[in-house]
Amino acid sequence: MTTLATTSRSSALFRRKQVEQLISEGGQGQGGSLHRSLGVWQLTMLSVGATLGTGIFVVLGQAVPEAGPAVVLSFVIAGLTALFSALSYAELAGAVPVSGSSYSYAYVTLGELVAWICGWCLILEYGVSVAAVAVGWGQYLNELLDGTLGVTIPAALASPPGDGGYFNLTALLVVLLAMVFLLGGAKESARANTVMVVVKIATLVLFCAVAFLGIRAGNYAPFMPLGMAGVSAASTTLFFSFVGFDAASTAGEEARNAQRDLPRAIMLSLAIVTLLYCLVAAAAVGAMPWQGFKGSEAALAEIMKSVTGQSFWAVLLAAGAVVAIASVVLTVLFGQTRILFAMSRDGLVPRVFARVHPRTGALRANTVIVSLFCGLLAAAVPLGQLAEATSIGTLFAFALVNVAVIVLRRTRPDMPRAFRAPLFPLVPAIGFILCLWRMFDLDAVTWKVFGIWMAAGLAFYFGYGRRRSKLAAAGE
């Protein structure tokens, strides 16, 4: 009898939702439904908006000293690493077009406990990364204000405690600005994001145009001064500049033709971002000797100023960075609210996160709660190693998506799929191995923080989510 009870409790932890049930619930929330208003262009811009941000504006100062001019090759390797997981995301987004992204994919393939762990990782990835990105917004805003008006926001109000400030007001402001757009609904948020993405792409294209005027062939030699080991090390640094391509998958219940458009948006966004990164890197290392990048967090601005001899271009780049970071905050907040919406609808987090405004289709309570939490986190708490833990949370979610593709192919081989990852099961298997490799490449402190976060998540699940699960209530 005890054995049977134990087995029953154990199997309950891995109860799975049916794909058809998940899709039939699409868009339905407490008091209203999400509006299907996003096409492939808006979905692509959502993923580009979440990916293309602070990384390219500051990451070259870290990556070029490791790889030299071959940093372009490092970007290609990092992009190919991301591609394996992107192919798995594209297949599942077309087969299971819902809001929960990898959380929902895990629920229909690996069971409730694994889905909860995945969702908890996504909360870490999205929530803390919003705060981390918002912190950097004030720095670029100060550069812009200094270059245009000759004034800056005092450090006490532009940096969090522990970094020379008392309260990072600028970080809170950019999160609240994103919140205002999100409260208008998905269509309005997507429109604002599209404008911001076009501005930041134009800024990077302008940088390339200016930098190409200053290219010196000698700057590309030697092409690989630190060998292939340096190229590989730089690709590890650069991999996290590609995180965010999965943002479109969180909008599955607001896409007009989700099964067709989600895979296209994911793959197209990764292609756009990779092309831009490679162009910017090629222009940058051609215009400035690779040794000059060491310790520089504003290499692009320095190059534009050096090539033109005018500070105007650096100010213009700062303006583009301000827009770029605001776009990342908006899109990542969007993804966070949609993941919590899906988890709430399943009963694993409080019902307030599933409330939908009947007229606008906006997740108002959800958006306000998440925005205030992330804004205050960025403004008042030194993030430190917790911000770095977003990397391991992201990789864990990516790894589960690769496993989910394999499981769903085995359990539901005849299910309609708008897109199929090629060379199955090789592609998802490689994606899984690459994610594990990146995870074990992170330092011990990051793993410790991740372990504490996971312990807190499991405590919440067993104390709240497991008992309130909709599947548990239905006796499934």
Side-chain angles (χ1 to χ4, degrees), residues 44-254:
T44 301
M45 291 298 99
L46 189 66
S47 283
V48 173
T51 309
L52 196 63
T54 51
I56 192 57
F57 288 96
V58 300
V59 77
L60 288 178
Q62 305 169 37
V64 174
E66 293 179 314
V71 70
V72 179
L73 184 57
S74 298
F75 269 114
V76 173
I77 294 172
L80 287 174
T81 303
L83 176 63
F84 287 98
S85 292
L87 289 167
S88 292
Y89 263 100
E91 174 168 331
L92 290 175
V96 191
V98 292
S99 289
S101 186
S102 49
Y103 156 76
S104 295
Y105 308 151
Y107 214 157
V108 299
T109 56
L110 303 172
E112 185 173 284
L113 178 61
V114 178
W116 167 262
I117 292 172
C118 185
W120 194 245
C121 285
L122 291 175
I123 291 172
L124 176 66
E125 173 193 348
Y126 282 80
V128 178
S129 63
V130 165
V133 170
V135 167
W137 189 74
Q139 299 169 10
Y140 283 103
L141 181 62
N142 263 341
E143 287 185 31
L144 180 60
L145 292 174
D146 186 39
T148 54
L149 303 176
V151 299
T152 57
I153 300 170
L157 296 177
S159 301
D163 290 333
Y166 295 105
F167 188 83
N168 194 333
L169 182 62
T170 56
L172 178 60
L173 286 177
V174 71
V175 175
L176 294 180
L177 178 64
M179 180 187 76
V180 171
F181 284 117
L182 289 173
L183 290 175
K187 187 175 182 179
E188 289 70 20
S189 303
R191 184 181 291 121
N193 175 64
T194 298
V195 171
M196 288 190 280
V197 170
V198 169
V199 168
K200 64 182 174 181
I201 289 177
T203 301
L204 292 173
V205 170
L206 176 64
F207 166 80
C208 291
V210 172
F212 276 125
L213 296 176
I215 284 181
R216 302 289 181 269
N219 289 340
Y220 290 113
F223 182 68
M224 203 180 294
L226 301 175
M228 198 61 203
V231 173
S232 178
S235 73
T236 299
T237 301
L238 295 172
F239 172 78
F240 299 105
S241 297
F242 290 87
V243 170
F245 66 80
D246 57 316
S249 65
T250 65
E253 295 171 32
E254 289 154 291

